[in-house]
Amino acid sequence: MRGKEDLVWIGRSVNIRVWWLVAGSSQFLSSNILKSINYSSNQVWVSPNRCVQTRVPVVKAAISEDLKDLAKFVNAEKAVTFKVRAVLTVRNKYQEDFKETLVKKLDALADQIGRNVVLLVHSVDIDPKTRAPKKSKEAVLKDWSEKSNLKSEKVNYTCDILVGSDFGIPGAISISNKHQKEFYLESITIEGFACGPVYFPCNSWVQSTNDHPNPRIFFSNQPYLPDQTPAGLKLLREKELTYLRGDGKGVRKLSDRIYDYDVYNDLGNPDRGSEFSRPILGGQKIPYPRRCRTGRLPSDTDILCESRVEKPFPLYVPRDERFEESKRITFSTSRLKAVLHNLLPSMVANISKKHDFKGFSQIESLYSEGVPLKFGLQDDLLKKLRLPNIVSSQGGGLLKFDIPKILSKDKFAWLRDDEFARQALAGVNPVNIEKLNVFPPVSQLDPEIYGLQESALKEEHISGYLNGLTVQQAMEENKLFIIDHHDVYLPFLDRINALDGHKTYATRTIFYLNESGTLKPVAIELSLPRQSKRVVTPPIDATSNWTWLLAKAHVCSNDAGVHQLVNHWLRTHATMEPFILSAHRQLSAMHPIFKLLDPHMRYTLETNAIARQNLINADGVIEQGFTPGRYAMEISAAAYKNWRFDLEGLPADLIRRGMAIPDPSQRHGLKLLIEDYPYASDGLLIWEAIQNWVRTYVTQYYPDASFVCNDSELQAWYAESINVGHAELRNETWWPTLANVEDLTAILTTVIWLASAQHAALNFGQYPYSGYIPNRPPLMRRLIPDEMDPEYVSFLEDPQNYFLSAIPSMLQSTKFMAVVDTLSTHSPDEEYIGQRQQTDTWTGDAEMVEAFYMFSTEIKRIEQEIERRNRDTSLKNRCGAGVLPYELLAPSSQPGVTCRGVPNSVSI
């Protein structure tokens, strides 16, 4: 033992303990590094960047390299107890109904007679005598009843807890809620330990013991890999994961927090009638990703189909995955439910199903004058529905839509070929355009099933638009590009065109790259089954102008379906759900990778559940509003067979589509063939920022490949995501391995990219670009007549009327516009990339907190660069007269429909 003025310097690898004699008790602080002791300031430096302030003066410090001798000395001291204080931050509800208010008051009364919220603190250490984890005494929140009437958004409750002087560092808290009502626990802070405040990020609902008898477990913000878990927390870590996995049995209660898998056997409603039956997606017959299991009973008429829960009743998702109140108010209550349950029936009552627009001015009147709604809409509904704007008028209500962004700078822009082509690079679906490598294009469909699918495109169709180049020369100079929806639609054309009011082709569109860096469409191929094909080229007279306009509308209709069903729903919603389910089932909340992924999983399960209930279900919004109709999800499932996780990252996707070539000399390791490709050029900035952040984070916890391979939870997460969540594709050889730091960085970067930037690019431009139906009709009702067609005469006599009768009717249009307006809206509680809850305390790793701030700074820099690009007149696909700036990947946004903003997760 040394005197109190002596200081023993020890190596960085020696684990030491500092011992204070404080008022007759002893407290301990573990550290890997002792930098110095400042007696005059009562400070102990426990790492190069962390100082602990003692609560009372240091009387004596004893330091020894011989831990066994120190332990003997410590045990000679008589252990005593002391108090620490826990502060629980609970979030109040904004709105409470009468029942909730009554229960809240009863809970306040019950709290006074012993039905309390009870806390128990768990140490990271094991009691050497009992070999069991050390625990505090049980304690109750002492001011619940006193603060029960507070109306503030957040309320802090306190609790004094007795712990032994040899307790060690707190690592977990268990909470028993003996009230009747659940409450939302945002965080817990414990003060009074020598190590300083200990933070517990919670962000979770704590259920009543009446519903869930077992205590809730919350871990501190200190990250631990599985084999680094302190002895006192190992059993709690396993216990919590076991609960979250469930047993795969029974009907889930809305208060449950169980994550499990199921197939898509809930889209149809056979009990409503055979026409509402739909195939089961998932399984060898129709491969598809898995969704969250609800355990609902089978339908009455088909035992393989799950019974439906129809709006307004909610589908099960684990309790903590439900929308928080501000988002629920914005969407589920006042917007989405109102649109689906009140607004749309009101439209049906006032607009004939066959009422076509009488002119383009009538479409524009939807933004200036509005649509009259059914008399008798309640005033509170009118107030709640802010966007689209509904204002009262004599005799009923008026549905008034905001002007879509596509009309904001040039209301005739949609008519121009250059704008039609620009949207392939900077619109709502900029991920289908490919470099043309073979001419004529070749189908990949099985000729034994679909026949020999030879393209009708010939060199003479496009040679006049290539500035003197041959087709081969233009391809060699990277001048020709294609959007090819032929193979997606052709297998379904007969069935789609047999539907009432649904008519479509399988389309291919060829583009030529101008010297200015813009594209121009040079040919559109329209295919029907049995080799019925025609090619439409840019117009040369009035008749061909209308034919060309109709052909572009059919291309946009094809593209809208692929965008919604494949690129948007399948590739960012459905394929991500298994990774989220597996993360909750296999990664402890203490796991550093769970902490990394947590903000990128927010709200996705609830969003997907709402989609299954209202959007992609039988007779839902997608079936009613898009060309594929009842075959929409079968098209999505067909596309899943070609989905590859290893090609979903942005650089790999650009190279796959031929839009970029590998080039180590370039910043991102590749060169874009179209330099002014706004989605790609902005996306690469965000991709690189995500990749750098992930690499910094991963290397903090995985010094080498052995740490990755030996992380049981990490390996289980990835394996279950593939083997269970993507069961039909589990044997594919293209799945990336998870064997080293580089593998893990690539996998996590792809997951975060898809959940954040990729989803934002595909989602938040829906109303801005599709809110004006002629620009991007989601549904076509008539084919293009040729000279032998009886409709050709009416087409010649009134081509405008024919065009308006081919796009969606007024009812179909307004229903579609109301929904995509809702889906394009940012909620007030949106968290954008570079942001996260409890920014300073989401992890106990100070280095990673600092690294995240650096990531946030980089995201802000990227936003400034995007704004600069949008002012650069040389970039004609994002700047120019009447040209919309590309802001879909600008990271931040205000609430509402803004056509910008990158949320952390698939949150709508």
Side-chain angles (χ1 to χ4, degrees), residues 323 327 331 336 568 573 603 607 759 763-764 822-826 830 905-908:
F323 290 166
K327 186 178 183 72
F331 286 90
L336 190 55
H568 180 201
H573 284 257
Y603 290 156
T607 296
H759 177 260
N763 183 76
F764 294 102
T822 298
L823 300 180
S824 304
T825 300
H826 291 294
E830 198 87 88
S905 62
V906 180
S907 58
I908 188 59

mmCIF file with all atom_site columns, all heavy atoms in Angstrom, residues 323 327 331 336 568 573 603 607 759 763-764 822-826 830 905-908:
data_model
loop_
_atom_site.group_PDB
_atom_site.id
_atom_site.type_symbol
_atom_site.label_atom_id
_atom_site.label_alt_id
_atom_site.label_comp_id
_atom_site.label_asym_id
_atom_site.label_entity_id
_atom_site.label_seq_id
_atom_site.pdbx_PDB_ins_code
_atom_site.Cartn_x
_atom_site.Cartn_y
_atom_site.Cartn_z
_atom_site.occupancy
_atom_site.B_iso_or_equiv
_atom_site.pdbx_formal_charge
_atom_site.auth_seq_id
_atom_site.auth_comp_id
_atom_site.auth_asym_id
_atom_site.auth_atom_id
_atom_site.pdbx_PDB_model_num
ATOM 1   N N   . PHE A 1 323 ? -46.579 3.406  -34.094 1.00 0.00 ? 323 PHE A N   1
ATOM 2   C CA  . PHE A 1 323 ? -46.297 4.831  -34.239 1.00 0.00 ? 323 PHE A CA  1
ATOM 3   C C   . PHE A 1 323 ? -46.418 5.527  -32.894 1.00 0.00 ? 323 PHE A C   1
ATOM 4   O O   . PHE A 1 323 ? -47.352 5.259  -32.130 1.00 0.00 ? 323 PHE A O   1
ATOM 5   C CB  . PHE A 1 323 ? -47.286 5.483  -35.203 1.00 0.00 ? 323 PHE A CB  1
ATOM 6   C CG  . PHE A 1 323 ? -47.117 5.090  -36.644 1.00 0.00 ? 323 PHE A CG  1
ATOM 7   C CD1 . PHE A 1 323 ? -48.113 5.373  -37.567 1.00 0.00 ? 323 PHE A CD1 1
ATOM 8   C CD2 . PHE A 1 323 ? -45.976 4.450  -37.088 1.00 0.00 ? 323 PHE A CD2 1
ATOM 9   C CE1 . PHE A 1 323 ? -47.970 5.020  -38.895 1.00 0.00 ? 323 PHE A CE1 1
ATOM 10  C CE2 . PHE A 1 323 ? -45.818 4.099  -38.414 1.00 0.00 ? 323 PHE A CE2 1
ATOM 11  C CZ  . PHE A 1 323 ? -46.831 4.382  -39.327 1.00 0.00 ? 323 PHE A CZ  1
ATOM 12  N N   . LYS A 1 327 ? -46.976 10.967 -34.496 1.00 0.00 ? 327 LYS A N   1
ATOM 13  C CA  . LYS A 1 327 ? -47.083 10.422 -35.851 1.00 0.00 ? 327 LYS A CA  1
ATOM 14  C C   . LYS A 1 327 ? -48.433 9.756  -36.051 1.00 0.00 ? 327 LYS A C   1
ATOM 15  O O   . LYS A 1 327 ? -49.038 9.861  -37.119 1.00 0.00 ? 327 LYS A O   1
ATOM 16  C CB  . LYS A 1 327 ? -45.961 9.426  -36.112 1.00 0.00 ? 327 LYS A CB  1
ATOM 17  C CG  . LYS A 1 327 ? -45.931 8.929  -37.564 1.00 0.00 ? 327 LYS A CG  1
ATOM 18  C CD  . LYS A 1 327 ? -44.779 7.989  -37.788 1.00 0.00 ? 327 LYS A CD  1
ATOM 19  C CE  . LYS A 1 327 ? -44.702 7.541  -39.239 1.00 0.00 ? 327 LYS A CE  1
ATOM 20  N NZ  . LYS A 1 327 ? -44.251 8.601  -40.141 1.00 0.00 ? 327 LYS A NZ  1
ATOM 21  N N   . PHE A 1 331 ? -50.915 10.733 -39.022 1.00 0.00 ? 331 PHE A N   1
ATOM 22  C CA  . PHE A 1 331 ? -51.224 9.802  -40.096 1.00 0.00 ? 331 PHE A CA  1
ATOM 23  C C   . PHE A 1 331 ? -52.421 8.909  -39.791 1.00 0.00 ? 331 PHE A C   1
ATOM 24  O O   . PHE A 1 331 ? -53.466 9.029  -40.417 1.00 0.00 ? 331 PHE A O   1
ATOM 25  C CB  . PHE A 1 331 ? -49.999 8.947  -40.421 1.00 0.00 ? 331 PHE A CB  1
ATOM 26  C CG  . PHE A 1 331 ? -48.954 9.707  -41.159 1.00 0.00 ? 331 PHE A CG  1
ATOM 27  C CD1 . PHE A 1 331 ? -47.961 10.386 -40.481 1.00 0.00 ? 331 PHE A CD1 1
ATOM 28  C CD2 . PHE A 1 331 ? -48.968 9.763  -42.542 1.00 0.00 ? 331 PHE A CD2 1
ATOM 29  C CE1 . PHE A 1 331 ? -47.005 11.109 -41.168 1.00 0.00 ? 331 PHE A CE1 1
ATOM 30  C CE2 . PHE A 1 331 ? -48.010 10.476 -43.233 1.00 0.00 ? 331 PHE A CE2 1
ATOM 31  C CZ  . PHE A 1 331 ? -47.031 11.146 -42.538 1.00 0.00 ? 331 PHE A CZ  1
ATOM 32  N N   . LEU A 1 336 ? -54.463 9.240  -42.614 1.00 0.00 ? 336 LEU A N   1
ATOM 33  C CA  . LEU A 1 336 ? -54.662 8.019  -43.385 1.00 0.00 ? 336 LEU A CA  1
ATOM 34  C C   . LEU A 1 336 ? -56.032 7.411  -43.127 1.00 0.00 ? 336 LEU A C   1
ATOM 35  O O   . LEU A 1 336 ? -56.747 7.051  -44.058 1.00 0.00 ? 336 LEU A O   1
ATOM 36  C CB  . LEU A 1 336 ? -53.561 7.022  -43.061 1.00 0.00 ? 336 LEU A CB  1
ATOM 37  C CG  . LEU A 1 336 ? -53.499 5.785  -43.962 1.00 0.00 ? 336 LEU A CG  1
ATOM 38  C CD1 . LEU A 1 336 ? -53.396 6.202  -45.421 1.00 0.00 ? 336 LEU A CD1 1
ATOM 39  C CD2 . LEU A 1 336 ? -52.337 4.910  -43.588 1.00 0.00 ? 336 LEU A CD2 1
ATOM 40  N N   . HIS A 1 568 ? -40.163 0.235  -54.794 1.00 0.00 ? 568 HIS A N   1
ATOM 41  C CA  . HIS A 1 568 ? -40.538 0.854  -53.524 1.00 0.00 ? 568 HIS A CA  1
ATOM 42  C C   . HIS A 1 568 ? -40.953 -0.199 -52.494 1.00 0.00 ? 568 HIS A C   1
ATOM 43  O O   . HIS A 1 568 ? -40.263 -0.422 -51.498 1.00 0.00 ? 568 HIS A O   1
ATOM 44  C CB  . HIS A 1 568 ? -41.661 1.869  -53.761 1.00 0.00 ? 568 HIS A CB  1
ATOM 45  C CG  . HIS A 1 568 ? -42.114 2.560  -52.514 1.00 0.00 ? 568 HIS A CG  1
ATOM 46  N ND1 . HIS A 1 568 ? -43.344 3.165  -52.412 1.00 0.00 ? 568 HIS A ND1 1
ATOM 47  C CD2 . HIS A 1 568 ? -41.528 2.726  -51.309 1.00 0.00 ? 568 HIS A CD2 1
ATOM 48  C CE1 . HIS A 1 568 ? -43.474 3.686  -51.202 1.00 0.00 ? 568 HIS A CE1 1
ATOM 49  N NE2 . HIS A 1 568 ? -42.388 3.429  -50.507 1.00 0.00 ? 568 HIS A NE2 1
ATOM 50  N N   . HIS A 1 573 ? -39.352 -1.932 -48.465 1.00 0.00 ? 573 HIS A N   1
ATOM 51  C CA  . HIS A 1 573 ? -40.253 -2.301 -47.369 1.00 0.00 ? 573 HIS A CA  1
ATOM 52  C C   . HIS A 1 573 ? -40.152 -3.797 -47.054 1.00 0.00 ? 573 HIS A C   1
ATOM 53  O O   . HIS A 1 573 ? -39.730 -4.193 -45.966 1.00 0.00 ? 573 HIS A O   1
ATOM 54  C CB  . HIS A 1 573 ? -41.701 -1.964 -47.725 1.00 0.00 ? 573 HIS A CB  1
ATOM 55  C CG  . HIS A 1 573 ? -42.035 -0.514 -47.644 1.00 0.00 ? 573 HIS A CG  1
ATOM 56  N ND1 . HIS A 1 573 ? -42.737 0.040  -46.606 1.00 0.00 ? 573 HIS A ND1 1
ATOM 57  C CD2 . HIS A 1 573 ? -41.777 0.512  -48.493 1.00 0.00 ? 573 HIS A CD2 1
ATOM 58  C CE1 . HIS A 1 573 ? -42.889 1.331  -46.795 1.00 0.00 ? 573 HIS A CE1 1
ATOM 59  N NE2 . HIS A 1 573 ? -42.317 1.647  -47.953 1.00 0.00 ? 573 HIS A NE2 1
ATOM 60  N N   . TYR A 1 603 ? -40.450 2.362  -36.919 1.00 0.00 ? 603 TYR A N   1
ATOM 61  C CA  . TYR A 1 603 ? -41.766 2.471  -37.565 1.00 0.00 ? 603 TYR A CA  1
ATOM 62  C C   . TYR A 1 603 ? -41.952 1.553  -38.770 1.00 0.00 ? 603 TYR A C   1
ATOM 63  O O   . TYR A 1 603 ? -43.051 1.497  -39.341 1.00 0.00 ? 603 TYR A O   1
ATOM 64  C CB  . TYR A 1 603 ? -42.044 3.902  -38.029 1.00 0.00 ? 603 TYR A CB  1
ATOM 65  C CG  . TYR A 1 603 ? -42.275 4.918  -36.951 1.00 0.00 ? 603 TYR A CG  1
ATOM 66  C CD1 . TYR A 1 603 ? -42.042 6.274  -37.193 1.00 0.00 ? 603 TYR A CD1 1
ATOM 67  C CD2 . TYR A 1 603 ? -42.744 4.557  -35.696 1.00 0.00 ? 603 TYR A CD2 1
ATOM 68  C CE1 . TYR A 1 603 ? -42.269 7.230  -36.224 1.00 0.00 ? 603 TYR A CE1 1
ATOM 69  C CE2 . TYR A 1 603 ? -42.971 5.510  -34.715 1.00 0.00 ? 603 TYR A CE2 1
ATOM 70  C CZ  . TYR A 1 603 ? -42.728 6.857  -34.984 1.00 0.00 ? 603 TYR A CZ  1
ATOM 71  O OH  . TYR A 1 603 ? -42.960 7.807  -34.020 1.00 0.00 ? 603 TYR A OH  1
ATOM 72  N N   . THR A 1 607 ? -45.538 0.477  -40.432 1.00 0.00 ? 607 THR A N   1
ATOM 73  C CA  . THR A 1 607 ? -45.805 0.951  -41.795 1.00 0.00 ? 607 THR A CA  1
ATOM 74  C C   . THR A 1 607 ? -46.195 -0.207 -42.705 1.00 0.00 ? 607 THR A C   1
ATOM 75  O O   . THR A 1 607 ? -47.163 -0.119 -43.476 1.00 0.00 ? 607 THR A O   1
ATOM 76  C CB  . THR A 1 607 ? -44.556 1.670  -42.352 1.00 0.00 ? 607 THR A CB  1
ATOM 77  O OG1 . THR A 1 607 ? -44.299 2.835  -41.558 1.00 0.00 ? 607 THR A OG1 1
ATOM 78  C CG2 . THR A 1 607 ? -44.756 2.068  -43.795 1.00 0.00 ? 607 THR A CG2 1
ATOM 79  N N   . HIS A 1 759 ? -35.113 4.550  -49.789 1.00 0.00 ? 759 HIS A N   1
ATOM 80  C CA  . HIS A 1 759 ? -36.562 4.691  -49.583 1.00 0.00 ? 759 HIS A CA  1
ATOM 81  C C   . HIS A 1 759 ? -36.998 6.132  -49.788 1.00 0.00 ? 759 HIS A C   1
ATOM 82  O O   . HIS A 1 759 ? -38.038 6.390  -50.408 1.00 0.00 ? 759 HIS A O   1
ATOM 83  C CB  . HIS A 1 759 ? -36.958 4.215  -48.189 1.00 0.00 ? 759 HIS A CB  1
ATOM 84  C CG  . HIS A 1 759 ? -38.420 4.411  -47.904 1.00 0.00 ? 759 HIS A CG  1
ATOM 85  N ND1 . HIS A 1 759 ? -38.901 5.471  -47.169 1.00 0.00 ? 759 HIS A ND1 1
ATOM 86  C CD2 . HIS A 1 759 ? -39.505 3.695  -48.297 1.00 0.00 ? 759 HIS A CD2 1
ATOM 87  C CE1 . HIS A 1 759 ? -40.218 5.392  -47.110 1.00 0.00 ? 759 HIS A CE1 1
ATOM 88  N NE2 . HIS A 1 759 ? -40.609 4.335  -47.784 1.00 0.00 ? 759 HIS A NE2 1
ATOM 89  N N   . ASN A 1 763 ? -39.932 7.420  -52.322 1.00 0.00 ? 763 ASN A N   1
ATOM 90  C CA  . ASN A 1 763 ? -41.215 7.633  -51.657 1.00 0.00 ? 763 ASN A CA  1
ATOM 91  C C   . ASN A 1 763 ? -41.703 9.078  -51.668 1.00 0.00 ? 763 ASN A C   1
ATOM 92  O O   . ASN A 1 763 ? -42.854 9.338  -51.999 1.00 0.00 ? 763 ASN A O   1
ATOM 93  C CB  . ASN A 1 763 ? -41.146 7.161  -50.203 1.00 0.00 ? 763 ASN A CB  1
ATOM 94  C CG  . ASN A 1 763 ? -42.479 7.290  -49.501 1.00 0.00 ? 763 ASN A CG  1
ATOM 95  O OD1 . ASN A 1 763 ? -43.394 6.496  -49.716 1.00 0.00 ? 763 ASN A OD1 1
ATOM 96  N ND2 . ASN A 1 763 ? -42.618 8.313  -48.668 1.00 0.00 ? 763 ASN A ND2 1
ATOM 97  N N   . PHE A 1 764 ? -40.851 10.009 -51.310 1.00 0.00 ? 764 PHE A N   1
ATOM 98  C CA  . PHE A 1 764 ? -41.345 11.347 -51.004 1.00 0.00 ? 764 PHE A CA  1
ATOM 99  C C   . PHE A 1 764 ? -41.552 12.228 -52.226 1.00 0.00 ? 764 PHE A C   1
ATOM 100 O O   . PHE A 1 764 ? -41.919 13.389 -52.099 1.00 0.00 ? 764 PHE A O   1
ATOM 101 C CB  . PHE A 1 764 ? -40.425 12.016 -49.976 1.00 0.00 ? 764 PHE A CB  1
ATOM 102 C CG  . PHE A 1 764 ? -40.475 11.323 -48.637 1.00 0.00 ? 764 PHE A CG  1
ATOM 103 C CD1 . PHE A 1 764 ? -39.464 10.461 -48.250 1.00 0.00 ? 764 PHE A CD1 1
ATOM 104 C CD2 . PHE A 1 764 ? -41.568 11.491 -47.806 1.00 0.00 ? 764 PHE A CD2 1
ATOM 105 C CE1 . PHE A 1 764 ? -39.532 9.797  -47.036 1.00 0.00 ? 764 PHE A CE1 1
ATOM 106 C CE2 . PHE A 1 764 ? -41.645 10.835 -46.595 1.00 0.00 ? 764 PHE A CE2 1
ATOM 107 C CZ  . PHE A 1 764 ? -40.633 9.988  -46.200 1.00 0.00 ? 764 PHE A CZ  1
ATOM 108 N N   . THR A 1 822 ? -50.852 11.624 -48.723 1.00 0.00 ? 822 THR A N   1
ATOM 109 C CA  . THR A 1 822 ? -50.583 11.143 -47.370 1.00 0.00 ? 822 THR A CA  1
ATOM 110 C C   . THR A 1 822 ? -49.242 10.424 -47.303 1.00 0.00 ? 822 THR A C   1
ATOM 111 O O   . THR A 1 822 ? -48.447 10.633 -46.376 1.00 0.00 ? 822 THR A O   1
ATOM 112 C CB  . THR A 1 822 ? -51.700 10.190 -46.919 1.00 0.00 ? 822 THR A CB  1
ATOM 113 O OG1 . THR A 1 822 ? -52.942 10.904 -46.899 1.00 0.00 ? 822 THR A OG1 1
ATOM 114 C CG2 . THR A 1 822 ? -51.423 9.623  -45.542 1.00 0.00 ? 822 THR A CG2 1
ATOM 115 N N   . LEU A 1 823 ? -48.965 9.565  -48.278 1.00 0.00 ? 823 LEU A N   1
ATOM 116 C CA  . LEU A 1 823 ? -47.745 8.760  -48.246 1.00 0.00 ? 823 LEU A CA  1
ATOM 117 C C   . LEU A 1 823 ? -46.493 9.576  -48.523 1.00 0.00 ? 823 LEU A C   1
ATOM 118 O O   . LEU A 1 823 ? -45.388 9.111  -48.257 1.00 0.00 ? 823 LEU A O   1
ATOM 119 C CB  . LEU A 1 823 ? -47.855 7.624  -49.267 1.00 0.00 ? 823 LEU A CB  1
ATOM 120 C CG  . LEU A 1 823 ? -49.013 6.646  -49.046 1.00 0.00 ? 823 LEU A CG  1
ATOM 121 C CD1 . LEU A 1 823 ? -49.001 5.575  -50.118 1.00 0.00 ? 823 LEU A CD1 1
ATOM 122 C CD2 . LEU A 1 823 ? -48.942 6.021  -47.664 1.00 0.00 ? 823 LEU A CD2 1
ATOM 123 N N   . SER A 1 824 ? -46.649 10.788 -49.043 1.00 0.00 ? 824 SER A N   1
ATOM 124 C CA  . SER A 1 824 ? -45.501 11.640 -49.350 1.00 0.00 ? 824 SER A CA  1
ATOM 125 C C   . SER A 1 824 ? -45.203 12.633 -48.241 1.00 0.00 ? 824 SER A C   1
ATOM 126 O O   . SER A 1 824 ? -44.350 13.509 -48.412 1.00 0.00 ? 824 SER A O   1
ATOM 127 C CB  . SER A 1 824 ? -45.756 12.419 -50.656 1.00 0.00 ? 824 SER A CB  1
ATOM 128 O OG  . SER A 1 824 ? -46.043 11.545 -51.723 1.00 0.00 ? 824 SER A OG  1
ATOM 129 N N   . THR A 1 825 ? -45.873 12.498 -47.117 1.00 0.00 ? 825 THR A N   1
ATOM 130 C CA  . THR A 1 825 ? -45.813 13.494 -46.060 1.00 0.00 ? 825 THR A CA  1
ATOM 131 C C   . THR A 1 825 ? -44.843 13.094 -44.945 1.00 0.00 ? 825 THR A C   1
ATOM 132 O O   . THR A 1 825 ? -44.866 11.967 -44.467 1.00 0.00 ? 825 THR A O   1
ATOM 133 C CB  . THR A 1 825 ? -47.212 13.705 -45.451 1.00 0.00 ? 825 THR A CB  1
ATOM 134 O OG1 . THR A 1 825 ? -48.102 14.145 -46.482 1.00 0.00 ? 825 THR A OG1 1
ATOM 135 C CG2 . THR A 1 825 ? -47.181 14.733 -44.339 1.00 0.00 ? 825 THR A CG2 1
ATOM 136 N N   . HIS A 1 826 ? -44.022 14.037 -44.533 1.00 0.00 ? 826 HIS A N   1
ATOM 137 C CA  . HIS A 1 826 ? -43.170 13.858 -43.355 1.00 0.00 ? 826 HIS A CA  1
ATOM 138 C C   . HIS A 1 826 ? -43.969 14.222 -42.105 1.00 0.00 ? 826 HIS A C   1
ATOM 139 O O   . HIS A 1 826 ? -44.644 15.254 -42.069 1.00 0.00 ? 826 HIS A O   1
ATOM 140 C CB  . HIS A 1 826 ? -41.941 14.762 -43.432 1.00 0.00 ? 826 HIS A CB  1
ATOM 141 C CG  . HIS A 1 826 ? -40.962 14.380 -44.488 1.00 0.00 ? 826 HIS A CG  1
ATOM 142 N ND1 . HIS A 1 826 ? -40.244 13.207 -44.447 1.00 0.00 ? 826 HIS A ND1 1
ATOM 143 C CD2 . HIS A 1 826 ? -40.571 15.023 -45.619 1.00 0.00 ? 826 HIS A CD2 1
ATOM 144 C CE1 . HIS A 1 826 ? -39.439 13.144 -45.496 1.00 0.00 ? 826 HIS A CE1 1
ATOM 145 N NE2 . HIS A 1 826 ? -39.623 14.224 -46.229 1.00 0.00 ? 826 HIS A NE2 1
ATOM 146 N N   . GLU A 1 830 ? -40.440 13.147 -37.353 1.00 0.00 ? 830 GLU A N   1
ATOM 147 C CA  . GLU A 1 830 ? -39.511 12.465 -38.250 1.00 0.00 ? 830 GLU A CA  1
ATOM 148 C C   . GLU A 1 830 ? -38.066 12.653 -37.762 1.00 0.00 ? 830 GLU A C   1
ATOM 149 O O   . GLU A 1 830 ? -37.683 13.739 -37.328 1.00 0.00 ? 830 GLU A O   1
ATOM 150 C CB  . GLU A 1 830 ? -39.638 13.031 -39.667 1.00 0.00 ? 830 GLU A CB  1
ATOM 151 C CG  . GLU A 1 830 ? -39.073 12.152 -40.749 1.00 0.00 ? 830 GLU A CG  1
ATOM 152 C CD  . GLU A 1 830 ? -40.100 11.147 -41.243 1.00 0.00 ? 830 GLU A CD  1
ATOM 153 O OE1 . GLU A 1 830 ? -40.870 11.477 -42.162 1.00 0.00 ? 830 GLU A OE1 1
ATOM 154 O OE2 . GLU A 1 830 ? -40.123 10.028 -40.686 1.00 0.00 ? 830 GLU A OE2 1
ATOM 155 N N   . SER A 1 905 ? -35.383 5.861  -41.474 1.00 0.00 ? 905 SER A N   1
ATOM 156 C CA  . SER A 1 905 ? -36.005 4.552  -41.645 1.00 0.00 ? 905 SER A CA  1
ATOM 157 C C   . SER A 1 905 ? -37.163 4.609  -42.627 1.00 0.00 ? 905 SER A C   1
ATOM 158 O O   . SER A 1 905 ? -37.593 5.681  -43.051 1.00 0.00 ? 905 SER A O   1
ATOM 159 C CB  . SER A 1 905 ? -36.508 4.039  -40.286 1.00 0.00 ? 905 SER A CB  1
ATOM 160 O OG  . SER A 1 905 ? -37.489 4.916  -39.768 1.00 0.00 ? 905 SER A OG  1
ATOM 161 N N   . VAL A 1 906 ? -37.656 3.420  -42.964 1.00 0.00 ? 906 VAL A N   1
ATOM 162 C CA  . VAL A 1 906 ? -38.867 3.300  -43.788 1.00 0.00 ? 906 VAL A CA  1
ATOM 163 C C   . VAL A 1 906 ? -40.041 3.575  -42.854 1.00 0.00 ? 906 VAL A C   1
ATOM 164 O O   . VAL A 1 906 ? -40.603 2.679  -42.247 1.00 0.00 ? 906 VAL A O   1
ATOM 165 C CB  . VAL A 1 906 ? -38.965 1.895  -44.403 1.00 0.00 ? 906 VAL A CB  1
ATOM 166 C CG1 . VAL A 1 906 ? -40.226 1.768  -45.247 1.00 0.00 ? 906 VAL A CG1 1
ATOM 167 C CG2 . VAL A 1 906 ? -37.730 1.597  -45.246 1.00 0.00 ? 906 VAL A CG2 1
ATOM 168 N N   . SER A 1 907 ? -40.384 4.834  -42.740 1.00 0.00 ? 907 SER A N   1
ATOM 169 C CA  . SER A 1 907 ? -41.322 5.265  -41.713 1.00 0.00 ? 907 SER A CA  1
ATOM 170 C C   . SER A 1 907 ? -42.693 5.608  -42.250 1.00 0.00 ? 907 SER A C   1
ATOM 171 O O   . SER A 1 907 ? -43.582 6.020  -41.506 1.00 0.00 ? 907 SER A O   1
ATOM 172 C CB  . SER A 1 907 ? -40.755 6.473  -40.956 1.00 0.00 ? 907 SER A CB  1
ATOM 173 O OG  . SER A 1 907 ? -40.486 7.545  -41.851 1.00 0.00 ? 907 SER A OG  1
ATOM 174 N N   . ILE A 1 908 ? -42.884 5.438  -43.566 1.00 0.00 ? 908 ILE A N   1
ATOM 175 C CA  . ILE A 1 908 ? -44.206 5.667  -44.157 1.00 0.00 ? 908 ILE A CA  1
ATOM 176 C C   . ILE A 1 908 ? -44.248 4.933  -45.482 1.00 0.00 ? 908 ILE A C   1
ATOM 177 O O   . ILE A 1 908 ? -43.194 4.702  -46.096 1.00 0.00 ? 908 ILE A O   1
ATOM 178 C CB  . ILE A 1 908 ? -44.531 7.157  -44.361 1.00 0.00 ? 908 ILE A CB  1
ATOM 179 C CG1 . ILE A 1 908 ? -45.989 7.362  -44.788 1.00 0.00 ? 908 ILE A CG1 1
ATOM 180 C CG2 . ILE A 1 908 ? -43.572 7.786  -45.358 1.00 0.00 ? 908 ILE A CG2 1
ATOM 181 C CD1 . ILE A 1 908 ? -47.018 6.846  -43.812 1.00 0.00 ? 908 ILE A CD1 1
#
